[in-house]
Amino acid sequence: MSESHHPTGIKRWLYTTNHKDIGTLYLWFSFLMFLVGGVMALVIRAELFQPGLQLVEPNFFNQMTTMHGLIMVFGAVMPAFVGLANWMIPLMIGAPDMALPRLNNLSFWILPFAFFMLLSTLFMPGGAPNFGWTFYAPLSTTYAPPSVTYFIFAIHIMGASSILGSINIIATIMGMRAPGMGYMKMPLFVWTWFITAYLLIAVMPVLAGAVTMMLIDIHFGGSFFSAAGGGDPVLFQHIFWFFGHPEVYIMILPAFGVASAIIPTFARKPLFGYHSMVYATASIAFLSFIVWAHHMFTVGMPLVAEGFFMFSTMIIAVPTGVKIFNWVATMWRGSMTFETPMLFAVAFVILFTIGGFSGLMLAIAPADFQYHDTYFVVAHFHYVLVPGAIFGIMAAVYFWLPKWCGKMYDEMMGKVHFWLSFIGLNVTFFPMHFVGLAGMPRRIPDYALQFADFNMISSAGAFLFGFSQVFFLGIVLQTILYGKKARSEVWDNPHGLEWTLPSPPPYHSFTQPPQVTMAHASPR
Amino acid sequence: MHINLNTLLLYTGIMMSGAFIPASVAEELPRWQLNMPQGVTEISRDIYGLHMAVLWVCVVIGVIVFGAMFISMVLHHRSRNKEAATFHENFWVEVAWTTIPAIILIILFIPSMRTISQMYDTQAADIDILVTGFQWKWKYEYLGEDVKFFSNLSTPSGAIYGIENKNNHYLLDVDEPLVVPLHKKIRFLITANDVLHAWWVPAFAVKQDAIPGFINEAWARIEEPGTYRGQCAELCGKDHGFMPIVVKAVSDDEYRSWLAERKRQTAQERTLMAQQFSLEQLVERGEKVYQSQCMVCHNANGKGIPGAFPSLVGTAISTGLMNDHIDIVVNGRAGTTMQAFGSQLSPLDLAAVITYERNAWGNNMGDMVQAIDIARFINDAKQ
Amino acid sequence: MQAPDKKRIHAIVIRSSLITVLMFGFGFALVPLYDVFCDLTGLNGKVSLTPIHPVSTPGEVPDVRQIQMQFIAINNETLPWEFAPREFSLPIQLGKPYVTHYRAKNLSSRSMTVQAIPSVSPGLAAQHLSKMECFCFEQQRLEAGEEMDMAVRFVVSPSLPQSFSVMTLSYTLFDVSDKNTTQLTRN
């Protein structure tokens, strides 16, 4: 960083418009939120360790489930992916920075305020939001604690941050690619983020609309969601899931991109089916707009709607399957080694597929009448989000951390972290399938005795998983402080423009557009 | 701040004494249950069949995909395969793994559609029951029969807070179950009084959201006698986990006699409501109500459980102003386990139990309250 | 420093922002769209809160088919009113108008205004029900202790598919006394 002229200390981070700094800020912020949300998850699992109420009261338990969901979705997963996008997209497409650097600074720095506001509700009279992260009306309107107004503003700010970030990413990808970097040559991480960014600007405003309607209902005598004034609580669910289902893909598509970068690197073989990967991602994104009501099969929809949403949901399995098959085919006849990023990526493919299987089961509308709102659903979406989104992010961190800081992490420690996380998460979430099928509803602070054994196992796994993430923090800090010097390529002949830069890359990289050759473009 | 230290300490003590799940109870419990129950209706069995079919499809696909992955991870490790292949596209392979899954999905879709059409059957039923979700209990109304009642959780709070043992039906017991006949089409019309709830009985594969202002319907034709238990399946606030559903399926004859008896009770309650009672009568009735509703926390001697549940002997409430006493029983006390009994008990039972509490265990207040006064108090409070 | 095409980026930003604004609007447009959707599909058994006069084609004979019509009364938030249908069940002939009554009594000691919200189950039957007169078309006010009979005049269209043999019409009373100025925002 010798050539750079930038302020140091706190001012550097407050005023920075550098994509690498902002990426770093996003990543650290998301890790902090990951720990906060994780502590809440552990409160939940501690209470559920045994039947009976031991640690917290039901109302506080509901606050924990609500805040855990909101913080993990909006505070941990989404900002982490935005952080990866900030760091990697300019490096991958040969751009000197993001297209709108000052906007970039703004979209990060409003986030801490949003989460400060959200977390402060825990200390307000009436407590934090306790109506679940899906905040169904009228529990979240007429029956909400007073802090709901702060919750609404926090969601607005998070939404604004996501939208600004997405516009920036779209502008960067469309307007800043180095000469020769055609769309169909972009790395898949860039592609998946490009599609994700469009999903974000399409659905975050809808969420903003939903919370605005809530605000009108609560404070200005509206009745969008109250039957008394001619509204309908079910309308809320439709609007929410019109946002919510694409949101699910927002949290997974960039992880698809990460896996598509890592698996070929460690299989030492080009990615199989680059074009079908792009088309599959685009079709998943398109389909995500017409499946939302599969979250509402028991709400009393007409038969035709049940059939339509069942079918469209099942069809999503096709492009998703294509992606899985492509990754397996990439591994096939490769020359594989299993460094930590590859371990995370392979676990991502396997466990995400298991989440996909339970997703297919949930798509069967009649069967969903049994699965809906049980721990089976909890197991399903945690299998999609933890080994899906979170493992994707961790794989990316191990993969690119040596590039970012110029130092190599300790391979042995990385593997230990992987195995602890892998075992922890399966012990936590796999038994949830069983208790769900056996009839345990979700979002309950106490349960019948026949669910006791598996819940105890789940809780034990959760603590293992939780503490292994503290270990992860240790590994990252150790790497930054004491890691061995990393080469600019880091791995064996990796593919892409980012590896042509030294590790760490200069503060201002690609000030001159690089020459994009077949060696850097995808597919090679 | 939110952590209840007293109960935590109590609980720890009980855990240490090894009273977590008594062995005798644990034996009968269906522990380690892995799969969905088949249930006792045609629909529930169809759903179970679909569930197993999809599960096996997933298992087979999983074996193939993960099998290929594991073989590759072993055979194509760098230690065995120094030089990676370079292929990265194959049109026909991609066509195959796009179309084959699509065909499998369509094959799965057809029977699913058949089952869900049956669930949406709209022919008239033999019995119509209006199910209303309340925060946090269910109300059942046999339409056209003039029988309606609330169904409350009957697990004592001592069991929840680990002060006494949990029985086999911990959290799944109610004071008054829904009683229905076998082999009849029962139509459940489902709605809610306040927020969303969902009425779910796994054995019938009936789960339907209860929405204030709207009615939904579901139906069941039960084929085996028994007691079937379920829970609310939509987050409805604080005590979402504490509003179970219990349905007793009995023969048609038994159902008829139960219904007749229930109607007689309803008529009796109605005549009693308008009457004035003497102190002795109220105390006598109130003692029974106390034993079924209050004793679990406040104890038979009214002294409660120190540190967990307050005493009623000579305290500011039970020997204080009548209005305060009525208020706490009717409206409960926020932030504690004291529930609002106003809409759970009849005004007569409320009057009786309050009168009893003021005149038992040496409280000797000598005053009383009539059902009509309670009804007035409830209505006034709504303003 | 490479000079990215500022104009191009400017255009992209404008376009993306436009999408954002449009989608915000779309969120609100979902409200009326949902109502249209409900009307078409009978989602939630929503019934119109304004009178509908069925257009009778001359020469059309009422269908001889009979169905059972059930009436339900629900008090939201344990509203202190006595509220019940005069008759729980009516056999009705399709295409023929009927009148039925609900009885309401204000048990509280103050005057109250309520809004009745209708709902029909099975939901798909809702679109075949037309109400010419209904107490749900406007808010109802009763003084303390006052009671009244409230009428519903309706007809079930012969277009009702054969698969329906029973139809339940429910009214839920919502207390709107504190919202005297608020009229129905939507129907």
Side-chain angles (χ1 to χ4, degrees), chain B residues 170-182:
Chain B
Y170 174 68
L171 294 189
L172 297 177
D173 249 342
V174 295
D175 53 357
E176 188 163 11
L178 183 68
V179 178
V180 292
L182 291 167

PDB file of all heavy atoms in Angstrom, chain B residues 170-182:
ATOM      1  N   TYR B 170     -47.548 -34.023  28.452  1.00  0.00           N
ATOM      2  CA  TYR B 170     -47.056 -32.693  28.805  1.00  0.00           C
ATOM      3  C   TYR B 170     -47.265 -31.733  27.631  1.00  0.00           C
ATOM      4  O   TYR B 170     -46.852 -32.024  26.504  1.00  0.00           O
ATOM      5  CB  TYR B 170     -45.572 -32.789  29.162  1.00  0.00           C
ATOM      6  CG  TYR B 170     -44.910 -31.457  29.398  1.00  0.00           C
ATOM      7  CD1 TYR B 170     -45.253 -30.683  30.499  1.00  0.00           C
ATOM      8  CD2 TYR B 170     -43.952 -30.970  28.510  1.00  0.00           C
ATOM      9  CE1 TYR B 170     -44.652 -29.460  30.706  1.00  0.00           C
ATOM     10  CE2 TYR B 170     -43.346 -29.754  28.723  1.00  0.00           C
ATOM     11  CZ  TYR B 170     -43.699 -28.996  29.824  1.00  0.00           C
ATOM     12  OH  TYR B 170     -43.109 -27.778  30.032  1.00  0.00           O
ATOM     13  N   LEU B 171     -47.953 -30.633  27.910  1.00  0.00           N
ATOM     14  CA  LEU B 171     -48.273 -29.584  26.928  1.00  0.00           C
ATOM     15  C   LEU B 171     -49.287 -30.017  25.878  1.00  0.00           C
ATOM     16  O   LEU B 171     -49.609 -29.256  24.983  1.00  0.00           O
ATOM     17  CB  LEU B 171     -47.020 -29.058  26.205  1.00  0.00           C
ATOM     18  CG  LEU B 171     -45.995 -28.302  27.017  1.00  0.00           C
ATOM     19  CD1 LEU B 171     -44.962 -27.696  26.074  1.00  0.00           C
ATOM     20  CD2 LEU B 171     -46.625 -27.202  27.831  1.00  0.00           C
ATOM     21  N   LEU B 172     -49.753 -31.263  25.957  1.00  0.00           N
ATOM     22  CA  LEU B 172     -50.702 -31.731  24.946  1.00  0.00           C
ATOM     23  C   LEU B 172     -52.021 -32.149  25.585  1.00  0.00           C
ATOM     24  O   LEU B 172     -52.754 -32.955  25.042  1.00  0.00           O
ATOM     25  CB  LEU B 172     -50.108 -32.912  24.163  1.00  0.00           C
ATOM     26  CG  LEU B 172     -48.847 -32.624  23.356  1.00  0.00           C
ATOM     27  CD1 LEU B 172     -48.332 -33.884  22.700  1.00  0.00           C
ATOM     28  CD2 LEU B 172     -49.099 -31.555  22.301  1.00  0.00           C
ATOM     29  N   ASP B 173     -52.306 -31.601  26.758  1.00  0.00           N
ATOM     30  CA  ASP B 173     -53.545 -31.928  27.450  1.00  0.00           C
ATOM     31  C   ASP B 173     -54.415 -30.682  27.560  1.00  0.00           C
ATOM     32  O   ASP B 173     -53.894 -29.594  27.764  1.00  0.00           O
ATOM     33  CB  ASP B 173     -53.225 -32.411  28.875  1.00  0.00           C
ATOM     34  CG  ASP B 173     -53.521 -33.886  29.019  1.00  0.00           C
ATOM     35  OD1 ASP B 173     -54.270 -34.414  28.170  1.00  0.00           O
ATOM     36  OD2 ASP B 173     -53.014 -34.497  29.969  1.00  0.00           O
ATOM     37  N   VAL B 174     -55.733 -30.887  27.431  1.00  0.00           N
ATOM     38  CA  VAL B 174     -56.639 -29.752  27.590  1.00  0.00           C
ATOM     39  C   VAL B 174     -57.700 -30.078  28.622  1.00  0.00           C
ATOM     40  O   VAL B 174     -57.925 -31.247  28.945  1.00  0.00           O
ATOM     41  CB  VAL B 174     -57.319 -29.365  26.262  1.00  0.00           C
ATOM     42  CG1 VAL B 174     -56.306 -28.871  25.262  1.00  0.00           C
ATOM     43  CG2 VAL B 174     -58.111 -30.533  25.705  1.00  0.00           C
ATOM     44  N   ASP B 175     -58.364 -29.022  29.131  1.00  0.00           N
ATOM     45  CA  ASP B 175     -59.413 -29.262  30.120  1.00  0.00           C
ATOM     46  C   ASP B 175     -60.647 -29.877  29.482  1.00  0.00           C
ATOM     47  O   ASP B 175     -61.330 -30.689  30.078  1.00  0.00           O
ATOM     48  CB  ASP B 175     -59.759 -27.972  30.878  1.00  0.00           C
ATOM     49  CG  ASP B 175     -60.101 -26.828  29.931  1.00  0.00           C
ATOM     50  OD1 ASP B 175     -60.025 -27.004  28.695  1.00  0.00           O
ATOM     51  OD2 ASP B 175     -60.444 -25.735  30.420  1.00  0.00           O
ATOM     52  N   GLU B 176     -60.955 -29.489  28.260  1.00  0.00           N
ATOM     53  CA  GLU B 176     -62.121 -30.067  27.606  1.00  0.00           C
ATOM     54  C   GLU B 176     -61.819 -30.346  26.131  1.00  0.00           C
ATOM     55  O   GLU B 176     -61.712 -29.422  25.333  1.00  0.00           O
ATOM     56  CB  GLU B 176     -63.322 -29.126  27.731  1.00  0.00           C
ATOM     57  CG  GLU B 176     -64.576 -29.808  27.235  1.00  0.00           C
ATOM     58  CD  GLU B 176     -65.856 -29.130  27.696  1.00  0.00           C
ATOM     59  OE1 GLU B 176     -65.796 -28.009  28.223  1.00  0.00           O
ATOM     60  OE2 GLU B 176     -66.919 -29.744  27.500  1.00  0.00           O
ATOM     61  N   PRO B 177     -61.689 -31.625  25.772  1.00  0.00           N
ATOM     62  CA  PRO B 177     -61.337 -31.931  24.385  1.00  0.00           C
ATOM     63  C   PRO B 177     -62.534 -31.809  23.450  1.00  0.00           C
ATOM     64  O   PRO B 177     -63.692 -31.812  23.896  1.00  0.00           O
ATOM     65  CB  PRO B 177     -60.859 -33.383  24.451  1.00  0.00           C
ATOM     66  CG  PRO B 177     -61.543 -33.949  25.641  1.00  0.00           C
ATOM     67  CD  PRO B 177     -61.779 -32.826  26.601  1.00  0.00           C
ATOM     68  N   LEU B 178     -62.228 -31.720  22.181  1.00  0.00           N
ATOM     69  CA  LEU B 178     -63.264 -31.765  21.154  1.00  0.00           C
ATOM     70  C   LEU B 178     -63.671 -33.225  21.003  1.00  0.00           C
ATOM     71  O   LEU B 178     -62.811 -34.095  20.929  1.00  0.00           O
ATOM     72  CB  LEU B 178     -62.654 -31.231  19.849  1.00  0.00           C
ATOM     73  CG  LEU B 178     -63.564 -31.109  18.643  1.00  0.00           C
ATOM     74  CD1 LEU B 178     -64.585 -30.013  18.882  1.00  0.00           C
ATOM     75  CD2 LEU B 178     -62.756 -30.780  17.408  1.00  0.00           C
ATOM     76  N   VAL B 179     -64.973 -33.487  20.978  1.00  0.00           N
ATOM     77  CA  VAL B 179     -65.444 -34.864  20.834  1.00  0.00           C
ATOM     78  C   VAL B 179     -66.147 -34.987  19.489  1.00  0.00           C
ATOM     79  O   VAL B 179     -67.009 -34.175  19.156  1.00  0.00           O
ATOM     80  CB  VAL B 179     -66.396 -35.243  21.981  1.00  0.00           C
ATOM     81  CG1 VAL B 179     -66.909 -36.668  21.800  1.00  0.00           C
ATOM     82  CG2 VAL B 179     -65.690 -35.107  23.314  1.00  0.00           C
ATOM     83  N   VAL B 180     -65.759 -35.981  18.703  1.00  0.00           N
ATOM     84  CA  VAL B 180     -66.351 -36.148  17.369  1.00  0.00           C
ATOM     85  C   VAL B 180     -66.619 -37.632  17.118  1.00  0.00           C
ATOM     86  O   VAL B 180     -65.963 -38.493  17.696  1.00  0.00           O
ATOM     87  CB  VAL B 180     -65.424 -35.604  16.261  1.00  0.00           C
ATOM     88  CG1 VAL B 180     -65.307 -34.105  16.336  1.00  0.00           C
ATOM     89  CG2 VAL B 180     -64.059 -36.255  16.325  1.00  0.00           C
ATOM     90  N   PRO B 181     -67.611 -37.916  16.255  1.00  0.00           N
ATOM     91  CA  PRO B 181     -67.909 -39.318  15.963  1.00  0.00           C
ATOM     92  C   PRO B 181     -67.010 -39.878  14.857  1.00  0.00           C
ATOM     93  O   PRO B 181     -66.493 -39.128  14.032  1.00  0.00           O
ATOM     94  CB  PRO B 181     -69.359 -39.258  15.483  1.00  0.00           C
ATOM     95  CG  PRO B 181     -69.493 -37.909  14.882  1.00  0.00           C
ATOM     96  CD  PRO B 181     -68.566 -36.999  15.609  1.00  0.00           C
ATOM     97  N   LEU B 182     -66.877 -41.191  14.856  1.00  0.00           N
ATOM     98  CA  LEU B 182     -66.104 -41.877  13.827  1.00  0.00           C
ATOM     99  C   LEU B 182     -66.909 -41.981  12.534  1.00  0.00           C
ATOM    100  O   LEU B 182     -68.135 -41.939  12.558  1.00  0.00           O
ATOM    101  CB  LEU B 182     -65.766 -43.293  14.302  1.00  0.00           C
ATOM    102  CG  LEU B 182     -64.769 -43.417  15.444  1.00  0.00           C
ATOM    103  CD1 LEU B 182     -64.801 -44.829  15.986  1.00  0.00           C
ATOM    104  CD2 LEU B 182     -63.375 -43.055  14.959  1.00  0.00           C
TER     105      LEU B 182
END
